[in-house]
Amino acid sequence: MKPILVFDWNGTLLDDAHMLLQTTNAILDRFGRTTIDMDTFRNHCDVPLSILYRSLGMSESEIADVDRDAGAMFHDTYEQFASKADLREGARRILEMARERDASSIIVSNHVVEPLQSQLRRLGINDYINEVIAFESRAAQFKSTSKGERLRRYMQENDLKPQATFIIGDMPVETNIARDLGLISVSITGGFVSDSRLQAAEPDYIIRSHHELLPILQGHGFFRDA
């Protein structure tokens, strides 16, 4: 049996926490609100991002302005910053290793398919990814099937075994999905939320970089020749 590696994208494979902080601060500044530091961001970040904005004191009318035109204010700002983001430490090597051993690497994201795939091409890892499961468009973001439900359907359609499936993410939502679907959960620090929030979700494993993922896989009987 080959392992299935299910990766979140933003903050997990892509090292874009600072880019999302910059985007958040650009939006706060636009409405004359006080900008925040990384610790505050990680203590409040949640999805959909309207939860973050609300917790930072933005009004419902301001949030509606951000959401207008399929979230153009956010997406146009974020994509400009994210075009300079690199992969998280060790991410490229674990993806290469999975490909060499014919294991599946899947991205399940709350981002939008087209810009995500554009980033994969820019970073030269498009061929390492077997499937991208994300929202079809800006307009559909957080308005259609949830991330966990999309993964559930994909696993059923492709007869993927939960006991060989690892979900790696930087937010509690991935741990919750793992618990719901019977997967092995791995939380990576240094993403969009604080270490304490990750720990409170009680994932099976917590890592600081993707280099630490290999021993976990080996402990479950995979990649022992690496």
Side-chain angles (χ1 to χ4, degrees), residues 7-33:
F7 294 96
D8 174 53
W9 175 242
N10 302 101
T12 298
L13 286 176
L14 190 67
D15 191 7
D16 63 339
H18 286 277
M19 285 70 177
L20 187 54
L21 173 62
Q22 286 179 284
T23 303
T24 302
N25 279 334
I27 289 171
L28 289 170
D29 185 65
R30 179 162 179 167
F31 292 104
R33 302 229 170 226

Side-chain angles (χ1 to χ4, degrees), residues 31 58-69 71 73:
F31 292 104
M58 289 178 61
S59 68
E60 293 303 317
S61 63
E62 289 169 337
I63 294 170
D65 283 343
V66 176
D67 288 341
R68 187 170 292 116
D69 299 324
M73 184 187 301

Side-chain angles (χ1 to χ4, degrees), residues 134-149:
F135 285 107
E136 303 85 354
S137 66
R138 291 182 179 186
Q141 196 173 29
F142 298 110
K143 294 180 176 66
S144 59
T145 310
S146 72
K147 184 175 179 176
E149 182 58 27

Side-chain angles (χ1 to χ4, degrees), residues 8-21 37-46 88-89 168-172 174 187-198 206-210:
D8 174 53
W9 175 242
N10 302 101
T12 298
L13 286 176
L14 190 67
D15 191 7
D16 63 339
H18 286 277
M19 285 70 177
L20 187 54
L21 173 62
D37 60 15
M38 180 58 83
D39 285 343
T40 302
F41 171 77
R42 285 179 169 146
N43 284 332
H44 290 273
C45 189
D46 210 335
R88 294 284 307 265
E89 183 183 351
I168 304 98
D170 68 313
M171 298 183 75
E174 285 84 33
S187 288
I188 186 166
T189 63
F192 289 179
V193 306
S194 64
D195 293 5
S196 61
R197 291 177 65 194
L198 288 181
I206 295 179
I207 61 176
R208 292 165 295 179
S209 79
H210 290 279

